[in-house]
Amino acid sequence: MPFKDIIVSSRVRLARNVEGLPFPTSDIGGIASYKRVLEGATAAAGFEYTLANMGELPDIDKEALVERHLISKLLCEKGSAGAVLLSKDRSVSVMINEEDHIRAQCIKPGNELYSCYRSIVKYDKELAKHLNIAFDSQFGYLTSCLTNLGTGMRASVMLFLPALVFCNKTGALINLLKKNGVTVRGIYGEGSRYKGDMFQISNTYTLGVSEEEILSVVDKAVEYCMQEESIARKRLKEERGLLLEDEVYRAYGVLTNARLLDSDEFMSQISKLKLGMSLGIINFTQTEKLDEIVLSCQPGNLCCRVGRRLSDGERDLVRAETVREALVNLK
Amino acid sequence: MPFKDIIVSSRVRLARNVEGLPFPTSDIGGIASYKRVLEGATAAAGFEYTLANMGELPDIDKEALVERHLISKLLCEKGSAGAVLLSKDRSVSVMINEEDHIRAQCIKPGNELYSCYRSIVKYDKELAKHLNIAFDSQFGYLTSCLTNLGTGMRASVMLFLPALVFCNKTGALINLLKKNGVTVRGIYGEGSRYKGDMFQISNTYTLGVSEEEILSVVDKAVEYCMQEESIARKRLKEERGLLLEDEVYRAYGVLTNARLLDSDEFMSQISKLKLGMSLGIINFTQTEKLDEIVLSCQPGNLCCRVGRRLSDGERDLVRAETVREALVNLK
């Protein structure tokens, strides 16, 4: 079973702060501090980028970026004091004045943890040439929140685990991961439920471990989850056979025909379809395209598509339209 | 709105018995009686026909004929003492030794009550030339059951009333029809629930009324039901608009994709689809083809399709297959 059927995306982010400037969480600093950080962050970018100030970006565009994990909700609330620098291909995003002066991340579809790490380290090295990064020999990188002290690094991988959810095995899995220094969240961070059978796993600790150790901890956890999910999928197919086939095709039938699709039903149906595709039940090859459909059907992305804020009812209508179009093109 | 969207089929049947022969419900008579009735029934047929003795016909074929309203369950139980004569196009069926010696009916898709009547009267006139039909000047045609005395005629029409069902108006309608000498049943006779939003209406009385009066009573009832259903459909479309469209397309999505379809879900989904077609929500023209799909997906007809008895699970599988094929060809 290819990795892409289980690993949706990989992400590595670094938290950095500038020596001598107050943390962005404090009220002091203001515009002078913002300008200095921005200057350094843009100077470090050895790639084409766009820059968006949070005071100027329309709300629906902010929401769409949040849904794609390119900025955080906290940054959106910063108004003109915050900004994001986005590489043209959107793999690198640098948040300016979020919780820390700099939150630089690299995100890629599929199993790309190490490649994300290499990309973001490259940016980080450039950054150090332009800004005086706050670093303590005992505590490592100094961060606004203590939970990020040390490496200031979070390595996370989004996993699609429908068979483990079906077999009711995710509770035990999450506990096991916790004991091994891995945190598990839903698709939209802390507290978000595991919609669409998506699980975001990342390192719990940033202090007292090296960057390589963090990558290794997360990578091993990913490996373990993949094995368990593969076994569960095989068993599911063997044991449920026709019932599973029925569910998968019904999901396809609903997604390609419904005129109204609320978020919960959409996530549940697309999960079944994706599982069916990965098990060869339904003959589509490009499962990763479904991940793009998932993102493009989140509320903010739907509003962006039509260029204005939508009511709940309108959203369900536009979501259904979007899915139909996308699936027709997929076939 | 064309009639065929509401009127599924029309049927007229006559009950006749041969003077001097014991009713088939008694044990007396036997083979000699059967032969004499059979001779007369076949001699009267001025059309191409096939003849099937109930002792020889496989059970699954019997079931399929019952589902198509061409024979009754009672006839099936008669074994070699009963038979059916079927015209090539299956519009005319003559049951021999069911409750009466002869039960001759004509059944046609759509609004064809009067044309069914003319066809079956033609056969009845021929029959009288070959058999001595039991007739009393006071009671009319003598029948095995008192409820058929007089004309021995039942005129019935199968109606599709999904909008009235949705608006919860069928209870009141049925009561009103009852008061006007009209009996309402489900798709498979007395006691059968109104599956697929199908209602069979027929004359309650056969005695003390003329054949023309019976036709007129049923025809008026049909006219009334059609008007009410048309109004309800229009209102439903206006008031539910998008919700209705969503339901109709979901039904189409499930019917064209499900791998397992039980009888209840099938009837409910096909009803939604048919309603959607009749309201122009979904662009199929031939609603009457859906009525054929309904018949071909009943249990006995499914068994006939594969040529053997099927378990419940197998039936749901073959039903789903049959529907998918039929709907693909429809599009």
Side-chain angles (χ1 to χ4, degrees):
Chain A
M1 193 174 300
F3 297 150
K4 61 180 179 183
D5 293 345
I6 297 175
I7 305 186
V8 177
S9 60
S10 309
R11 180 156 61 132
V12 176
R13 74 105 168 105
L14 301 173
R16 298 290 183 257
N17 287 279
V18 180
E19 217 177 88
L21 286 187
F23 285 130
T25 41
S26 81
D27 286 337
I28 331 163
I31 193 74
S33 164
Y34 169 75
K35 276 192 174 166
R36 194 167 143 204
V37 178
L38 188 65
E39 250 177 48
T42 50
F47 44 77
E48 260 193 274
Y49 65 85
T50 54
L51 189 74
N53 179 282
M54 289 301 119
E56 291 159 16
L57 201 64
D59 283 349
I60 56 173
D61 294 273
K62 288 184 197 167
E63 272 175 53
L65 291 175
V66 169
E67 287 162 3
R68 289 178 180 275
H69 299 103
L70 296 172
I71 62 174
S72 68
K73 280 188 181 166
L74 180 62
L75 186 73
C76 298
E77 292 160 12
K78 284 302 182 86
S80 55
V84 65
L85 179 157
L86 267 178
S87 71
K88 206 182 169 190
D89 68 356
R90 293 191 157 194
S91 67
V92 176
S93 88
V94 182
M95 289 194 284
I96 289 143
N97 276 1
E98 199 242 24
E99 193 179 285
D100 297 295
H101 290 136
I102 299 279
R103 287 268 179 127
Q105 76 162 19
C106 181
I107 184 169
K108 291 181 183 174
N111 191 16
E112 297 289 345
L113 202 53
Y114 285 89
S115 123
C116 287
Y117 174 69
R118 284 191 300 273
S119 297
I120 212 58
V121 160
K122 194 176 162 196
Y123 177 78
D124 191 42
K125 281 185 179 164
E126 284 302 311
L127 198 64
K129 295 179 190 166
H130 299 277
L131 290 171
N132 238 345
I133 300 298
F135 186 85
D136 179 273
S137 58
Q138 193 184 350
F139 295 115
Y141 290 102
L142 299 178
T143 53
S144 170
C145 179
L146 292 177
T147 56
N148 290 310
L149 270 184
T151 55
M153 178 166 123
R154 187 167 305 279
S156 58
V157 174
M158 187 78 76
L159 299 168
F160 175 61
L161 307 175
L164 290 174
V165 170
F166 185 88
C167 306
N168 229 349
K169 283 187 177 170
T170 52
L173 179 74
I174 290 170
N175 284 333
L176 185 70
L177 294 176
K178 261 188 195 167
K179 285 179 194 155
N180 286 279
V182 172
T183 299
V184 184
R185 298 168 178 184
I187 180 170
Y188 289 117
E190 269 174 288
S192 74
R193 280 164 48 232
Y194 307 110
K195 286 197 178 169
D197 304 326
M198 304 263 240
F199 295 77
Q200 211 182 145
I201 70 170
S202 61
N203 55 303
T204 309
Y205 308 108
T206 57
L207 185 64
V209 285
S210 70
E211 295 179 348
E212 287 71 22
E213 282 167 335
I214 289 173
L215 290 170
S216 164
V217 161
V218 176
D219 194 47
K220 272 183 192 154
V222 167
E223 199 66 42
Y224 182 76
C225 291
M226 277 208 310
Q227 264 177 22
E228 292 293 298
E229 172 68 15
S230 296
I231 293 166
R233 285 188 192 182
K234 219 180 138 195
R235 193 170 299 154
L236 202 59
K237 197 181 177 184
E238 282 164 12
E239 286 172 10
R240 284 179 59 86
L242 188 60
L243 289 173
L244 187 64
E245 195 185 327
D246 183 51
E247 276 189 68
V248 168
Y249 274 96
R250 279 170 183 262
Y252 178 72
V254 168
L255 290 170
T256 50
N257 283 284
R259 262 50 187 168
L260 293 168
L261 265 180
D262 69 32
S263 174
D264 283 353
E265 186 191 4
F266 163 68
M267 290 298 275
S268 144
Q269 302 280 24
I270 203 113
S271 168
K272 285 181 197 162
L273 181 57
K274 200 180 162 194
L275 175 63
M277 286 163 76
S278 82
L279 289 174
I281 290 173
I282 193 161
N283 277 335
F284 293 155
T285 44
Q286 306 156 300
T287 52
E288 67 275 20
K289 292 250 170 110
L290 288 197
D291 297 329
E292 173 51 32
I293 297 176
V294 168
L295 291 175
S296 66
C297 283
Q298 299 306 316
N301 276 272
L302 292 174
C303 293
C304 268
R305 183 183 154 98
V306 293
R308 62 177 178 87
R309 190 153 291 286
L310 298 167
S311 70
D312 286 2
E314 286 176 317
R315 246 184 354 228
D316 293 350
L317 180 73
V318 177
R319 183 180 289 112
E321 253 173 41
T322 308
V323 176
R324 288 205 307 278
E325 269 178 38
L327 287 180
V328 163
N329 293 330
L330 202 60
K331 216 178 179 180
Chain B
M1 190 175 303
F3 296 150
K4 60 182 178 181
D5 294 344
I6 297 174
I7 304 186
V8 177
S9 60
S10 308
R11 180 156 61 131
V12 176
R13 76 102 171 106
L14 300 173
R16 298 289 183 258
N17 287 279
V18 179
E19 216 177 273
L21 286 187
F23 285 130
T25 41
S26 83
D27 286 337
I28 331 162
I31 194 75
S33 164
Y34 170 75
K35 276 193 175 166
R36 192 165 145 207
V37 177
L38 188 65
E39 251 178 47
T42 51
F47 44 79
E48 259 193 274
Y49 65 86
T50 55
L51 190 73
N53 181 282
M54 290 302 120
E56 291 159 16
L57 201 63
D59 282 348
I60 55 171
D61 294 274
K62 286 184 199 167
E63 272 174 52
L65 290 176
V66 170
E67 288 163 1
R68 289 179 179 275
H69 299 101
L70 296 173
I71 63 174
S72 68
K73 281 188 179 166
L74 179 62
L75 185 74
C76 297
E77 292 159 13
K78 284 304 180 84
S80 56
V84 65
L85 177 159
L86 266 180
S87 70
K88 205 183 169 190
D89 67 358
R90 293 190 156 193
S91 67
V92 176
S93 88
V94 181
M95 291 193 283
I96 289 143
N97 275 3
E98 200 241 26
E99 193 179 286
D100 297 294
H101 290 135
I102 299 279
R103 285 268 181 127
Q105 76 162 19
C106 179
I107 184 171
K108 291 181 184 177
N111 191 17
E112 297 289 346
L113 201 55
Y114 285 90
S115 123
C116 286
Y117 174 69
R118 284 190 300 271
S119 297
I120 211 61
V121 161
K122 193 176 162 196
Y123 177 78
D124 190 44
K125 281 186 178 161
E126 283 303 310
L127 198 66
K129 294 179 189 165
H130 299 277
L131 291 170
N132 238 345
I133 301 299
F135 185 85
D136 179 273
S137 58
Q138 192 184 352
F139 294 114
Y141 289 103
L142 299 179
T143 54
S144 169
C145 178
L146 292 178
T147 57
N148 291 308
L149 269 184
T151 55
M153 177 167 124
R154 188 167 305 277
S156 58
V157 174
M158 186 79 75
L159 299 169
F160 175 60
L161 307 176
L164 290 174
V165 170
F166 185 87
C167 307
N168 229 349
K169 284 189 176 169
T170 51
L173 179 73
I174 291 171
N175 284 334
L176 184 70
L177 293 176
K178 261 187 195 167
K179 284 181 194 154
N180 286 278
V182 173
T183 299
V184 184
R185 298 167 177 185
I187 181 169
Y188 288 117
E190 270 173 288
S192 73
R193 282 165 46 234
Y194 306 110
K195 285 197 178 173
D197 305 327
M198 302 262 241
F199 296 77
Q200 210 182 148
I201 70 170
S202 62
N203 56 304
T204 309
Y205 308 108
T206 57
L207 184 66
V209 283
S210 70
E211 295 178 347
E212 287 71 22
E213 280 166 337
I214 289 174
L215 291 170
S216 162
V217 161
V218 175
D219 194 46
K220 272 183 193 154
V222 167
E223 198 66 42
Y224 182 75
C225 291
M226 277 209 309
Q227 264 177 22
E228 292 293 298
E229 173 67 15
S230 296
I231 293 167
R233 285 189 192 183
K234 218 181 139 196
R235 194 171 297 154
L236 203 59
K237 197 179 177 185
E238 282 164 10
E239 287 172 10
R240 285 180 59 86
L242 189 60
L243 289 172
L244 187 65
E245 195 184 326
D246 184 51
E247 276 190 69
V248 168
Y249 273 96
R250 280 170 182 263
Y252 178 71
V254 168
L255 290 170
T256 50
N257 282 285
R259 263 49 188 168
L260 293 168
L261 265 179
D262 70 31
S263 173
D264 283 353
E265 187 192 2
F266 163 69
M267 290 296 274
S268 145
Q269 303 281 25
I270 202 113
S271 167
K272 284 180 198 164
L273 181 56
K274 200 180 163 197
L275 176 62
M277 287 163 74
S278 82
L279 289 174
I281 290 173
I282 193 160
N283 277 334
F284 291 156
T285 44
Q286 305 155 300
T287 51
E288 68 275 20
K289 291 249 169 108
L290 287 197
D291 297 328
E292 173 51 32
I293 296 176
V294 168
L295 290 175
S296 66
C297 282
Q298 299 305 317
N301 276 271
L302 291 173
C303 294
C304 267
R305 182 182 155 99
V306 293
R308 63 176 177 87
R309 190 152 291 284
L310 297 166
S311 71
D312 285 2
E314 287 176 316
R315 245 184 354 226
D316 293 349
L317 180 73
V318 177
R319 183 180 289 113
E321 253 173 41
T322 307
V323 176
R324 287 205 308 280
E325 269 178 38
L327 286 181
V328 163
N329 293 330
L330 203 58
K331 213 178 180 181

